[in-house]
Amino acid sequence: MSNTKDSCSFNQTTDKDQQWIDIETPYSHFKMTLFGAHITQFINKADGKDRLFVSKNARLDGSKSIRGGIPICWPWFGDHTDPDMPAHGYVRTLQWTLTKHTINTDSSVTLWLSPESSKELTTAKGYNPELAVELVITVGEQLVVELITTNNGTKAQVYTAALHSYFAVNDIKQTELMGLYGEYKDKCQGFTLHDTPMPYTFSAETDRVHLCTTEKIMIEESDADTFVYSSGHDSIVVWNPWQEKSESMADMEDTSYQHMVCVETAVTQGHTLAPGESHHLTQIIK
Ligand code: BG6
């Protein structure tokens, strides 16, 4: 399926493993797969830089969540208390459906996606029939990713989630994050609390839950900076596996940690939804 209007193009294609959506707008190139509703590319035409990192060893055959891009962690973030449950929830490995798309008058394209008709959904480990999820993505001058969670049940529901974005950087040792403040929980040091470093640079494995609701983060690079805007979150997670951990990960090249940093717009503390209520978790990338 393909159509073009107002200099935007929308194409849906299928290869042997995946169904892909490619979008071109006057400002950007975008690519995603319906497996996990996983965005894998967002190139800003102004500087030609893909804002997203995808590991060259990422599995693209649907057997595992893709290492890179924007995995959707929902309805829990991180490890579940039950070790039998998958880390980061169950929707990042489900097939999603594109329920609608529009080409907008401002030369952007909006997509609505849901895992509702996935045949694996109701049998997924940890499946919560009371909670529904929808992803709304707008591609234009910026990339807007909005995860909408709705409580369709009759009692309160608590959920956690993350838009687990892997950003491409030229050299992690030259990268600086601007905009984080306050305390973070350090997963590399038994979840102890520490003050956010200033300047925020990288020299070792980093796995931090920043308990702050900062709305704007800049990933400063020598060529093109990346801006990450967040809303609906209670935390920002920053992750880089560094050398040793990358070596132990089959879907990560040993040294490609040098070219990525995850800055995740997240709900880690638990958001309570009353019956009928919805919550929006949004990340905007520029
Ligand atoms: C981060 C976590 O969000 O995701 C890390 O803070 C974790 O602890 C990383 O290692 C990657 O998780 P996964 O399940 O995709 O390997």
Side-chain angles (χ1 to χ4, degrees):
M1 185 179 20
S2 165
N3 61 41
T4 307
K5 188 179 129 193
D6 297 333
S7 59
C8 285
S9 70
F10 169 94
N11 285 291
Q12 206 169 347
T13 54
T14 304
D15 65 18
K16 89 177 165 25
D17 297 313
Q18 306 276 351
Q19 294 177 65
W20 295 95
I21 295 169
D22 286 275
I23 291 170
E24 183 175 355
T25 77
Y27 319 102
S28 52
H29 291 279
F30 164 95
K31 193 175 175 92
M32 74 178 296
T33 161
L34 294 184
F35 173 67
H38 203 123
I39 299 169
T40 56
Q41 182 187 75
F42 180 65
I43 299 175
N44 184 335
K45 284 187 183 174
D47 52 33
K49 179 170 171 169
D50 193 340
R51 293 300 191 259
L52 300 175
F53 162 93
V54 177
S55 166
K56 291 195 175 66
N57 293 350
R59 298 229 192 102
L60 297 172
D61 59 1
S63 62
K64 187 179 190 303
S65 175
I66 296 166
R67 180 69 61 199
I70 312 185
I72 306 297
C73 305
W74 185 94
W76 63 87
F77 168 79
D79 294 332
H80 196 279
T81 45
D82 178 346
D84 208 28
M85 299 293 171
H88 292 324
Y90 50 83
V91 296
R92 64 178 178 156
T93 51
L94 291 179
Q95 286 297 332
W96 290 52
T97 304
L98 177 69
T99 50
K100 185 177 144 185
H101 80 274
T102 58
I103 298 184
N104 310 316
T105 51
D106 67 348
S107 298
S108 65
V109 179
T110 302
L111 311 172
W112 284 261
L113 299 118
S114 148
E116 274 315 298
S117 60
S118 168
K119 59 182 188 324
E120 289 89 14
L121 175 66
T122 57
T123 54
K125 275 187 177 168
Y127 172 61
N128 182 342
E130 313 286 292
L131 286 179
V133 66
E134 187 181 35
L135 192 67
V136 183
I137 299 169
T138 299
V139 185
E141 225 171 336
Q142 51 191 21
L143 173 64
V144 183
V145 186
E146 201 174 7
L147 187 72
I148 305 165
T149 303
T150 303
N151 179 359
N152 287 331
T154 52
K155 54 182 199 312
Q157 295 285 332
V158 182
Y159 88 106
T160 57
L163 299 167
H164 191 311
S165 308
Y166 287 68
F167 291 98
V169 299
N170 300 322
D171 179 0
I172 189 69
K173 291 179 184 152
Q174 304 294 325
T175 300
E176 186 174 342
L177 287 189
M178 320 273 267
L180 289 164
Y181 58 83
E183 292 186 313
Y184 67 87
K185 279 196 216 167
D186 195 337
K187 193 171 167 187
C188 299
Q189 299 186 65
F191 292 102
T192 46
L193 279 175
H194 300 264
D195 286 327
T196 295
M198 291 288 181
Y200 201 124
T201 52
F202 298 86
S203 56
E205 183 185 351
T206 304
D207 196 349
R208 300 171 175 170
V209 177
H210 290 266
L211 301 165
C212 70
T213 54
T214 186
E215 286 172 6
K216 180 179 172 186
I217 293 172
M218 183 168 93
I219 305 172
E220 196 182 71
E221 283 255 88
S222 53
D223 54 352
D225 298 330
T226 298
F227 293 88
V228 184
Y229 299 87
S230 301
S231 64
H233 58 305
D234 60 25
S235 315
I236 299 286
V237 178
V238 177
W239 181 60
N240 183 297
W242 221 254
Q243 176 96 30
E244 205 181 319
K245 193 154 189 188
S246 296
E247 286 170 11
S248 71
M249 294 161 75
D251 54 1
M252 190 79 177
E253 287 177 299
D254 294 355
T255 55
S256 58
Y257 74 92
Q258 294 167 354
H259 305 298
M260 52 84 46
V261 62
C262 289
V263 177
E264 308 167 33
T265 297
V267 174
T268 65
Q269 304 303 292
H271 184 92
T272 304
L273 285 164
E277 200 185 348
S278 293
H279 179 250
H280 293 224
L281 180 68
T282 306
Q283 186 178 75
I284 299 174
I285 299 170
K286 225 173 161 172

